[in-house]
CSV table of all heavy atoms in Angstrom, one decimal:
chain,number,residue,atom,x,y,z
F,35,GLN,N,-4.0,13.9,10.6
F,35,GLN,CA,-4.1,15.3,10.9
F,35,GLN,C,-4.0,16.1,9.5
F,35,GLN,O,-4.4,17.3,9.5
F,35,GLN,CB,-3.0,15.8,11.8
F,35,GLN,CG,-1.6,15.6,11.3
F,35,GLN,CD,-0.5,16.0,12.4
F,35,GLN,OE1,-0.8,16.5,13.4
F,35,GLN,NE2,0.7,15.7,12.1
F,40,HIS,N,-6.4,15.7,1.2
F,40,HIS,CA,-6.4,14.6,0.4
F,40,HIS,C,-7.8,14.1,-0.1
F,40,HIS,O,-7.9,12.9,-0.4
F,40,HIS,CB,-5.7,13.4,1.1
F,40,HIS,CG,-4.2,13.7,1.4
F,40,HIS,ND1,-3.2,13.5,0.5
F,40,HIS,CD2,-3.6,14.3,2.4
F,40,HIS,CE1,-2.1,13.9,1.0
F,40,HIS,NE2,-2.3,14.4,2.2
F,51,LEU,N,-7.6,0.4,15.8
F,51,LEU,CA,-9.0,0.5,15.9
F,51,LEU,C,-9.4,1.1,17.2
F,51,LEU,O,-9.2,0.5,18.3
F,51,LEU,CB,-9.7,-0.8,15.7
F,51,LEU,CG,-11.3,-0.7,15.7
F,51,LEU,CD1,-11.7,0.0,14.4
F,51,LEU,CD2,-11.9,-2.1,15.8
F,87,GLU,N,-15.8,-9.5,6.4
F,87,GLU,CA,-15.8,-10.4,7.5
F,87,GLU,C,-14.6,-10.1,8.4
F,87,GLU,O,-14.7,-10.1,9.7
F,87,GLU,CB,-15.8,-11.8,7.1
F,87,GLU,CG,-17.1,-12.3,6.4
F,87,GLU,CD,-18.3,-12.1,7.3
F,87,GLU,OE1,-18.2,-12.5,8.5
F,87,GLU,OE2,-19.3,-11.6,6.8
F,107,ASN,N,-17.6,14.2,4.6
F,107,ASN,CA,-18.9,13.8,5.1
F,107,ASN,C,-19.1,14.4,6.5
F,107,ASN,O,-18.4,14.0,7.4
F,107,ASN,CB,-19.0,12.3,5.1
F,107,ASN,CG,-20.5,11.9,5.4
F,107,ASN,OD1,-21.2,12.5,6.1
F,107,ASN,ND2,-20.9,10.8,4.8
F,137,PRO,N,-15.0,2.1,26.0
F,137,PRO,CA,-15.4,3.5,25.8
F,137,PRO,C,-16.4,4.0,27.0
F,137,PRO,O,-16.8,5.1,26.9
F,137,PRO,CB,-16.2,3.5,24.5
F,137,PRO,CG,-15.8,2.3,23.8
F,137,PRO,CD,-15.5,1.3,24.9
F,139,GLU,N,-17.3,4.4,31.3
F,139,GLU,CA,-16.6,5.1,32.4
F,139,GLU,C,-15.6,4.2,33.1
F,139,GLU,O,-15.8,3.0,33.2
F,139,GLU,CB,-17.6,5.5,33.5
F,139,GLU,CG,-18.8,6.3,33.0
F,139,GLU,CD,-19.9,6.3,34.0
F,139,GLU,OE1,-19.8,5.7,35.1
F,139,GLU,OE2,-21.0,6.8,33.7
F,167,THR,N,3.4,20.6,22.8
F,167,THR,CA,3.4,22.0,22.2
F,167,THR,C,3.8,23.0,23.3
F,167,THR,O,4.6,23.9,22.9
F,167,THR,CB,2.0,22.3,21.7
F,167,THR,OG1,1.7,21.4,20.7
F,167,THR,CG2,1.9,23.7,21.2
F,172,CYS,N,8.0,26.7,24.8
F,172,CYS,CA,8.9,27.2,25.8
F,172,CYS,C,10.3,27.4,25.1
F,172,CYS,O,11.0,28.4,25.2
F,172,CYS,CB,9.1,26.3,27.0
F,172,CYS,SG,7.7,26.3,28.1
F,187,PRO,N,22.9,19.4,36.5
F,187,PRO,CA,23.0,18.0,37.0
F,187,PRO,C,21.7,17.6,37.7
F,187,PRO,O,21.0,18.4,38.4
F,187,PRO,CB,24.1,18.0,38.0
F,187,PRO,CG,24.3,19.5,38.4
F,187,PRO,CD,23.8,20.3,37.2
F,205,TYR,N,25.7,6.8,46.0
F,205,TYR,CA,26.7,7.1,45.0
F,205,TYR,C,28.0,6.6,45.4
F,205,TYR,O,28.8,7.3,46.0
F,205,TYR,CB,26.7,8.7,44.9
F,205,TYR,CG,27.4,9.2,43.6
F,205,TYR,CD1,26.8,9.2,42.4
F,205,TYR,CD2,28.7,9.7,43.7
F,205,TYR,CE1,27.5,9.7,41.3
F,205,TYR,CE2,29.4,10.2,42.6
F,205,TYR,CZ,28.7,10.2,41.4
F,205,TYR,OH,29.4,10.6,40.3
F,246,ARG,N,-2.3,18.9,42.7
F,246,ARG,CA,-1.2,19.7,42.1
F,246,ARG,C,0.2,19.2,42.3
F,246,ARG,O,1.2,19.9,42.0
F,246,ARG,CB,-1.3,21.1,42.7
F,246,ARG,CG,-2.5,21.9,42.4
F,246,ARG,CD,-2.5,23.2,43.2
F,246,ARG,NE,-2.2,23.0,44.6
F,246,ARG,CZ,-3.1,22.5,45.5
F,246,ARG,NH1,-4.3,22.2,45.1
F,246,ARG,NH2,-2.7,22.4,46.7
F,255,GLU,N,13.6,26.3,33.9
F,255,GLU,CA,14.2,27.4,34.7
F,255,GLU,C,15.1,28.3,33.9
F,255,GLU,O,16.2,28.0,33.7
F,255,GLU,CB,15.0,26.8,35.9
F,255,GLU,CG,14.1,26.0,36.9
F,255,GLU,CD,15.0,25.4,38.0
F,255,GLU,OE1,15.5,24.3,37.8
F,255,GLU,OE2,15.0,26.0,39.1
F,284,GLU,N,-2.0,26.1,17.5
F,284,GLU,CA,-1.6,24.8,17.0
F,284,GLU,C,-2.4,23.6,17.5
F,284,GLU,O,-2.3,22.5,17.0
F,284,GLU,CB,-0.1,24.6,17.3
F,284,GLU,CG,0.9,25.5,16.6
F,284,GLU,CD,2.3,25.2,17.0
F,284,GLU,OE1,2.6,24.2,17.6
F,284,GLU,OE2,3.1,26.1,16.7
F,287,GLU,N,-7.8,21.4,17.7
F,287,GLU,CA,-8.6,20.2,17.8
F,287,GLU,C,-8.5,19.6,19.2
F,287,GLU,O,-9.4,19.1,19.7
F,287,GLU,CB,-8.1,19.2,16.7
F,287,GLU,CG,-8.4,19.6,15.3
F,287,GLU,CD,-9.9,19.7,15.0
F,287,GLU,OE1,-10.7,19.0,15.7
F,287,GLU,OE2,-10.2,20.5,14.1
F,320,LYS,N,-10.2,40.4,53.4
F,320,LYS,CA,-11.5,41.0,53.1
F,320,LYS,C,-12.4,39.9,52.6
F,320,LYS,O,-13.6,39.8,53.0
F,320,LYS,CB,-11.3,42.1,52.0
F,320,LYS,CG,-12.6,42.9,51.7
F,320,LYS,CD,-12.3,44.1,50.9
F,320,LYS,CE,-13.6,44.8,50.5
F,320,LYS,NZ,-13.8,44.9,49.1
F,343,GLY,N,-1.3,29.5,51.2
F,343,GLY,CA,-1.6,28.1,50.8
F,343,GLY,C,-2.5,28.1,49.5
F,343,GLY,O,-2.8,29.2,49.0
F,363,TYR,N,7.2,38.8,48.7
F,363,TYR,CA,6.8,38.0,49.8
F,363,TYR,C,7.7,38.2,51.0
F,363,TYR,O,8.8,38.8,50.9
F,363,TYR,CB,6.9,36.5,49.4
F,363,TYR,CG,5.8,36.0,48.5
F,363,TYR,CD1,5.8,36.2,47.1
F,363,TYR,CD2,4.7,35.3,49.1
F,363,TYR,CE1,4.8,35.7,46.3
F,363,TYR,CE2,3.7,34.8,48.3
F,363,TYR,CZ,3.7,35.0,46.9
F,363,TYR,OH,2.8,34.6,46.1
F,375,TRP,N,14.1,43.6,49.7
F,375,TRP,CA,13.5,44.8,49.2
F,375,TRP,C,14.3,46.0,49.7
F,375,TRP,O,14.7,46.0,50.9
F,375,TRP,CB,12.1,44.9,49.6
F,375,TRP,CG,11.3,45.7,48.7
F,375,TRP,CD1,11.0,47.1,48.8
F,375,TRP,CD2,10.6,45.3,47.5
F,375,TRP,NE1,10.3,47.5,47.7
F,375,TRP,CE2,10.0,46.4,46.9
F,375,TRP,CE3,10.5,44.1,46.8
F,375,TRP,CZ2,9.3,46.4,45.7
F,375,TRP,CZ3,9.8,44.0,45.7
F,375,TRP,CH2,9.2,45.2,45.1
F,401,GLU,N,14.6,38.0,42.1
F,401,GLU,CA,15.9,38.5,41.9
F,401,GLU,C,16.8,37.9,42.9
F,401,GLU,O,16.4,37.8,44.1
F,401,GLU,CB,15.9,40.1,42.0
F,401,GLU,CG,17.2,40.7,41.7
F,401,GLU,CD,17.1,42.3,41.7
F,401,GLU,OE1,16.0,42.8,41.4
F,401,GLU,OE2,18.1,42.9,42.1
F,420,GLU,N,28.3,26.3,55.0
F,420,GLU,CA,29.0,27.3,54.1
F,420,GLU,C,29.9,26.6,53.1
F,420,GLU,O,30.0,27.0,51.9
F,420,GLU,CB,29.8,28.2,55.0
F,420,GLU,CG,30.5,29.3,54.2
F,420,GLU,CD,31.4,30.2,55.1
F,420,GLU,OE1,31.1,30.3,56.3
F,420,GLU,OE2,32.4,30.8,54.6
Side-chain angles (χ1 to χ4, degrees):
Chain F
Q35 66 183 352
H40 296 272
L51 185 69
E87 292 300 317
N107 189 329
E139 309 161 5
T167 295
C172 286
Y205 194 77
R246 295 177 311 283
E255 295 177 279
E284 293 178 15
E287 293 297 332
K320 191 165 171 243
Y363 283 83
W375 205 268
E401 183 176 330
E420 186 182 332

